[in-house]
Amino acid sequence: MTTLSFAVDADGVALITLNDPSKPMNVVSPEFIDDLIAAIERVASDAAIKGAVITSGKAAFMAGADLKYIVNMIDGITPEVAYEFSQKASVPMHRRLETCGKPFVAAINGLALGGGYELALACHYRVIVDDPKAVVGLPEVTVGLLAGSGGTQRLPRMIGLEKSLPILLDGKTVGPAEALKLGMVDAVVPAADLIEAARQWILGTPDPVRAWDKKGYRIDLGLLNPANISTYANRPAQIAAQTQRNYPAPIAILSCLYDGMQQTFDNALKLESKYFAKLCVDPVARNIIRTTFVNKGEAAKLVRRPQGIDKKQFTKVGVLGAGMMGSGIAYVSATAGVNVVLLDSKQEFADKGKAYSAKVLGKLVDKGKKKQEQADAILARITPTTDYDALKGCDLVIEAVFEDRAIKADVTRQAEVQLDPSGFFASNTSTLPISGLAKASVNPAKFIGMHFFSPVDRMPLVEVIVGKDTSQETLAHALDYVGQLKMIPIVVNDSRGFYTSRVFQTFIHEGMRMLEEGIAPALIENAARQAGFPVGPLTLTDEVTVELPWKIVQQAIEELGDQFVKPCAYNVMQRMLEELKRPGRKAGKGFYEYPEGGKKFLWPGLKDAFPLAAQQPSVEEIKDRYLAIQALETARCLEEGVLTHATDGDIGSLLAWSFPTWTGGTLSYIDTVGIKQFVAECDRMAKAYGPRFEPSTWLRDRAARGEGFYPSTAHA
Ligand code: NAI
C-alpha cells in the first residue's frame, strides 16, 4: 500500500490514514482505489478489528479525482471503459465498505471534495474538524462531470432531495457548521479531538447498516411524494435557462436523481455509472478540465517562461497613467505587496487613480474579506505623483496612458531613464503593435507588452506580447511579474490586435454584419447567448462603443492602405456613426435604447435602417457562425506564429472575452467539431457569407491529415 497507512489499536479500531507521498493532496487515483479496497477487505475479514476510522495525513482530507489523470483517461474513452472506471470506485470500494458489516467513520480533518466527500458519504458516520477551511461538497458538475461513486445517490437519501440540489447541481461547497445543519456530516469537533471522537463512535458498537439497506426502507424522494413534483418539473427548465443546454452534466445529475430514486440502491449505482460514462464520452467535460484546470494551472505556473534565467522579485513598480487601467494595475500590484508609483499628468488624476484602490478595499473591508489594517497597508504602498523622479529605481514601469503613439513615446522616454539597471518597460496598449512602440525606447530588448483586461482586479488574464526586439530575459521577467500578481499569463507575438483583440473583433464584426444581411437583431443577440456567450455582439459593441472598433479599422487603413481588407461590418459601423449617429451606451444610444432609469431595449429604428430579410436563418446556423469565425481567426494566429501554443489560444479566449467554456476555447472548439468537419463547414460558410470564412491551405492540410490541435489518446 503506497497511498495510505493501516494501523490497529489496542481496542481493535483500525486507523486508515490517506497519505500519498507522491502528491501534494490525496486524490482518487487507480493506486488509491486498489489500496483502499485492500484495506477494506482487511477490516472486513479480520475478526479482531471492530471497525475503522479513515482520516488523512495531509492538511486536506481528500481533494477528489485527479483531474490530470481524468482528462487523459476520458479523451477518446469508450462508454464501457468509463462505466467500469466508475463502478470500480462505486462497488468494490464504497459499496463494499458500506455493506461489509463493520462500521467505518470518516474523520474529516480538512477539505473533502468530490471523491473525497463521496468516501465520507459511504462511511457510516462523519466527524469533521471545526475549521472553516474544511469544506465539503461534490463540485464535479463544475468540471462537466457528476459524483460517480455513489454521491448522487447517497446524498439525497441522507439529507433529502431539495437540500442536495445546490450541492449536486451548482457544485456548492460548505464549511463544517453548514454541513452539520444540512446533515452532510454528523458531528463537528476540535482538531485535537477528531480521531478520538471517531474512535469512540466505533467503540459504542453502532449499527453498521445504512438506512437504505434496512428491510422495509421506503424512499420518499420520487414522484409519489408531492413535494418533489415541482422540483422534477421545474429544474430541467431552470437548468436549460442557465446553461442554454450547452452543459450536459446538470441534466445528467437530475436524471440520476429522478431515475435513481425509483431503484434499489445497487441498481441506482449502476445507473449513476451509466450517466457518468455518458458525460465522460461527451467532449464538454474534457474541454472544461483540459483548459480551465490543467492548462490554466500550467499557465499560472509560468509554463511559457524561458528557462535558465534568474527569477526576478519585484519591490517597486511604476504605473504611468492613473485612468481606468492604470488604477487597476496599481491596485493589483499593491495587493501583491509591491510599492507602486502611480504617475499621471496632473496630481488630481493620480490621486483619483489611488482613490480607486481605496474604494475597492473599502468594499472588501465591509464584506469582511479584508481587515482594515491590511487595507491600510495596501493603500499605503501606492504613491500618486506627477514627478518622474519618483520612479527612480523601479524594477518595472507599466505604461497605461492614452492610446496615442506620440504620448506613449513621450512617457516612455521620460520614465525609462529612471528604471533600475535590471528593470524593464511594459506597455498596456490594447491595439498598437509593440515593436513600433519600442522604437521610442533606448533599449527595445527591454520593452514588452503586458495587456491587462478591464476591470483589472476581476480579470485574471495578462496577454504578454513579445516585440521584435524583446529579449528572452525581459519575457521571463514579465512572466515573473504576472506570477507575483497571481494572475494568468498567455504569451503571444506581436501583431495587429495581438491575439485577444484580433479575434474578439471578429465576433462583434460578425454580429454587426448580420444586421446588414437583414437578420433580426433579437436573433443576432439571442443566438450568441444560446451559444454560451454572456451577452450578444450588439450589446458588446454598445458597451465598448462603435467608435472603438471603427478607430482600430481607421488606424489599420492609415498604416496598411490598400493591403488592409476592410472588415465585414465596415458599412454598418460607418452608418451607425455617421448616418444614424448612435455610437453606443455611453452616448445613451447605440444598437439599444437606454431610457433614463429604465431597462435598455433594442432600438426600434434598426428595422428601418437594416430591413429584415424575408428568410431568417436558424439559431443553430448563427451560433455556428459565431463560433466558427473566432475559431478560424485563432487558427490563423497559430499559423502566423502570433500564438505559439494552442493552449494559449484556448485560455485566452475563455478568460479575455468569455468564449463559451463548454468549448474549451477557440481551438478546442475545432477539435470538438472535428477538424475535417470544421473545414468543410467553413467552406460552406465562405460560399454563403464571404471569403473571410475560407480556411487557409495550412488548415486544410492539417484537416487532410486529421491533425487537430490536441493529441487525442484514443482508448480501445
Ligand atoms: P484612460 O483614459 O482611463 O486613462 C488614461 C490615463 O492616462 C488618464 O488618467 C490620463 O490623464 C493619463 N495620461 C494621459 N497622458 C498622459 C501623460 N502624458 N502623462 C501621464 N499620464 C497621462 O484610459 P484607459 O482605458 O485606462 O487606457 C489606458 C491604456 O490601456 C490605453 O493604451 C488602452 O488602449 C489600454 N487598454 C485599455 C483597456 C480598456 O478596457 N479600457 C483594456 C486594455 C488596455
Side-chain angles (χ1 to χ4, degrees), residues 320-327 343-346 349-350 388 399-404 407-408 410-411 414 427-432 451-454:
L320 309 182
M324 188 160 98
M325 296 308 290
S327 54
L343 184 145
D344 208 299
S345 53
K346 285 207 176 123
F349 297 159
Y388 278 84
E399 164 281 299
V401 298
F402 297 142
E403 189 76 339
D404 179 297
I407 298 177
K408 286 191 188 298
D410 177 48
V411 299
Q414 294 194 63
S427 173
N428 178 51
T429 176
S430 46
T431 57
L432 302 168
H451 181 198
F452 291 77
F453 295 81
S454 168

Side-chain angles (χ1 to χ4, degrees), residues 15 28 52 99 107 123 144 146 185 194 207 219 222 231 294 308 389 420 428 444 459 478 536 559 590 641 703:
L15 182 66
V28 184
T99 55
C123 290
L146 57 79
V185 296
L194 185 71
D207 176 9
I219 195 163
T231 300
V294 179
D389 287 344
D420 182 81
N428 178 51
M459 296 286 278
E559 285 165 28

